[in-house]
């Protein structure tokens, strides 16, 4: 470490945790948002590979947030026998 210390460059490390989704401005946003939403909401987010973070390039940030929020609002948490249920409430943490 001492030998390497003199060669360190200024860098920013992305050390926020696991399973980041990266969405860049040139991405197909429909597909990227659908995949990101599926990654976090699949199995109520209780998967070891759940896409628990979404890192978005600034130019499309607001659009991506709006689209993800719209998808989240469409999730219907209830018991499976109720029509239009999209997420079983028994799979929520604490249940």
């Amino acid at each position: 470490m001492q030998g390497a210390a003199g060669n360190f460059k200024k860098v920013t490390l992305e050390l926020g945790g696991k399973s980041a989704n990266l969405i860049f401005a040139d991405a197909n946003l429909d597909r990227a948002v659908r995949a990101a939403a599926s990654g976090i909401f699949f199995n109520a987010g209780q998967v070891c590979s759940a896409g628990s973070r979404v890192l978005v390039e600034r130019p499309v940030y607001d659009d991506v947030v709006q689209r993800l929020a719209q998808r989240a609002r469409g999730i219907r948490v209830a018991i499976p026998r109720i029509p239009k249920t999209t997420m079983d409430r028994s799979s929520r943490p604490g249940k």
Side-chain angles (χ1 to χ4, degrees):
M1 247 179 128
Q2 185 176 6
N7 296 320
F8 270 44
K9 303 293 182 205
K10 290 183 180 181
V11 296
T12 300
L13 301 175
E14 198 289 293
L15 301 171
K18 65 176 187 71
S19 309
N21 291 278
L22 303 175
I23 301 178
F24 294 102
D26 63 348
N28 176 324
L29 294 185
D30 289 332
R31 291 178 64 192
V33 168
R34 185 171 49 246
S38 177
I40 191 57
F41 297 126
F42 174 72
N43 199 31
Q46 298 181 54
V47 180
C48 63
S49 61
S52 52
R53 297 174 303 124
V54 182
L55 305 176
V56 183
E57 193 172 4
R58 280 189 206 280
V60 293
Y61 176 83
D62 291 334
D63 191 12
V64 169
V65 169
Q66 177 197 13
R67 291 174 188 228
L68 282 171
Q70 183 177 353
R71 285 193 163 273
R73 283 191 295 273
I75 296 171
R76 298 294 171 245
V77 180
I79 54 178
R81 70 174 178 265
I82 296 175
K84 299 185 181 181
T85 296
T86 57
M87 186 182 294
D88 179 358
R89 75 176 181 191
S90 65
S91 66
R92 291 188 320 195
K95 293 288 177 189

